[in-house]
Amino acid sequence: LFVPDRSFAHTAIILSGSGPTQRDGDIVGHKLYAVLADLLTKKGIAVLRFDDRGVGESGGQYANATSEDFANDANAALNFLKHHEPVASSKIGYIGHSEGSLIAAIALANKKNTSADFFISLAGPSTTGGEVLVDQSYLIQKMRGVASSELEKDDKLQRKLIQAVAQNYSNEDIKTLMTSAGIPASQQDAQLSQLTSVWMQYFIKTDPKTYLQKLSLPVFAVHGAKDLQVPVNQNLDGFMQSIDKQWLTSKIYPNLNHLLQPADKGLPEEYAAISTTLSPEVVEDISLWLAQQ
C-alpha cells in the first residue's frame, strides 16, 4: 500500500492482467504496476497492489482459479481498505489492466459490492475472451507480415478451436479438429491442456458486457490505438454500448500499445526494447479524471 505524504481523496486497487503476476507487474523487464503505483502516489493518490493468489507472498491456488475467483479477491482487497486507516475515508476504486479490467467489472457487478467509488479500465476487454484471442492472433500475425492465405487458414482454425471450447466439445473431438487442421500429434496435448484449463474455459465463454451493463459508477476507459492484444475498436465499443454515458469517460491514445507504452507497431516483442514502462500522459489523465469525480 502506497500512501501519499499529503492529504488525499482517492485510493486505487490495481488488478493485474492475465497470467500469475506479482504485485510489481514484472513484464519483460518492466515493473508496470510498481511504476503505475509510484506515479499515482506522487500525484496524491493512494494505491494498493498485491500478488495474485498462489503467487509471491499470497496464499491460495492459482492454477484452478478463474476471473471470478480473482474478482472475489478484488472485493476482499476493497473490504480491507474500507476498514484500514489512513485510507478508509477516501474514495476507493479499481484500476484494472487487461484481464484485470474484466475482473474489476465482475467484482463491481457483484451485488455485495456496493461501496466502490470508481473504475479505471486500462486496455480492458468488452468482447468475449474467445473473440479477444481470435482477434489478437490475427492482428499480431498480420503485423508480423504473415501471408494473407496463411492468415486466413489460421484464423479459421482458431475460430473452430475457440468455438469447440465454448460449446464444451470433448477433448477427443478437439483433438480430431487439430488433426484435421494438420497440427502435429506431438503438439496437440500441450495445446489441448492450455485450451481446456479452468481459467481458459471461463475466459473464452465470458462476455464482459454482461457485467459492464450492471455498472452505475464513474468509469474511465483507456486504450492504446496500437494495442494488438485487446484491439481498441471492438473493445472500446463494448464499453460505450454497455455503460450509460453519464458514467463513462473514454480516451484512445494514438501511439500506445497494450502496456500503454509509446510503440512502433504494437507487437509484444517490442515491449522489452521500449525504454518507457508506462506513458506519463495516461497517469496525468487518470489523476485529472479522479480529481473531477
Side-chain angles (χ1 to χ4, degrees):
L1 178 63
F2 278 16
V3 178
D5 55 9
R6 58 187 189 272
S7 68
F8 61 95
H10 295 93
T11 303
I13 300 164
I14 297 178
L15 302 178
S16 64
S18 50
T21 310
Q22 292 196 358
R23 68 194 77 175
D24 284 352
D26 294 295
I27 302 167
V28 292
H30 291 284
K31 293 187 183 294
L32 179 59
Y33 307 139
V35 169
L36 176 58
D38 181 55
L39 293 175
L40 286 172
T41 309
K42 284 173 178 154
K43 295 271 183 201
I45 299 155
V47 183
L48 176 73
R49 55 200 167 90
F50 56 93
D51 300 334
D52 288 350
R53 62 163 69 188
V55 179
E57 292 178 50
S58 286
Q61 286 265 315
Y62 185 88
N64 299 318
T66 66
S67 308
E68 194 168 338
D69 296 312
F70 299 130
N72 290 334
D73 298 344
N75 281 336
L78 183 83
N79 290 333
F80 162 71
L81 291 180
K82 284 283 171 188
H83 302 96
H84 186 72
E85 290 302 334
V87 300
S89 55
S90 65
K91 289 188 169 182
I92 302 171
Y94 296 122
I95 298 182
H97 174 241
S98 195
E99 189 206 349
S101 169
L102 167 64
I103 291 164
I106 297 169
L108 291 162
N110 183 331
K111 284 191 174 65
K112 290 176 190 163
N113 183 344
T114 52
S115 52
D117 298 298
F118 62 87
F119 167 31
I120 297 162
S121 169
L122 305 180
S126 70
T127 59
T128 66
E131 290 170 87
V132 168
L133 294 169
V134 166
D135 291 342
Q136 180 183 107
S137 173
Y138 183 86
L139 287 172
I140 287 173
Q141 291 190 81
K142 187 179 180 186
M143 192 60 81
R144 284 175 183 157
V146 172
S148 55
S149 57
E150 278 300 306
L151 261 181
E152 212 167 297
K153 188 176 147 195
D154 186 66
D155 189 55
K156 277 183 183 163
L157 171 62
Q158 295 296 334
R159 286 177 189 278
K160 279 182 182 170
L161 289 173
I162 295 293
Q163 192 177 16
V165 174
Q167 294 177 353
N168 299 316
Y169 279 34
S170 71
N171 286 8
E172 284 314 306
D173 287 344
I174 295 174
K175 272 193 167 183
T176 304
L177 262 181
M178 289 177 174
T179 304
S180 66
I183 294 173
S186 60
Q187 294 172 20
Q188 289 182 11
D189 282 344
Q191 279 201 35
L192 186 69
S193 66
Q194 190 181 11
L195 268 176
T196 57
S197 73
V198 178
W199 177 85
M200 185 65 87
Q201 288 188 59
Y202 184 93
F203 183 69
I204 284 171
K205 296 170 189 175
T206 300
D207 187 347
K209 289 190 279 293
T210 313
Y211 303 100
L212 294 172
Q213 284 160 2
K214 295 177 180 174
L215 304 189
S216 52
L217 81 172
V219 178
F220 184 24
V222 164
H223 230 105
K226 293 188 174 178
D227 188 338
L228 302 180
Q229 287 187 254
V230 180
V232 59
N233 293 337
Q234 53 270 55
N235 286 290
L236 208 47
D237 276 359
F239 276 83
M240 291 170 171
Q241 291 161 22
S242 304
I243 299 170
D244 192 301
K245 60 178 177 288
Q246 67 166 316
W247 296 116
L248 181 67
T249 307
S250 63
K251 183 162 180 179
I252 298 172
Y253 297 83
N255 296 315
L256 302 189
N257 62 18
H258 184 62
L259 303 188
L260 301 168
Q261 302 169 294
D264 176 22
K265 293 178 176 172
L267 286 164
E269 50 264 37
E270 292 176 350
Y271 299 167
I274 298 169
S275 57
T276 306
T277 295
L278 172 72
S279 165
E281 191 187 349
V282 174
V283 179
E284 182 67 28
D285 288 344
I286 288 171
S287 132
L288 289 171
W289 179 80
L290 278 175
Q292 288 160 8
Q293 303 315 312

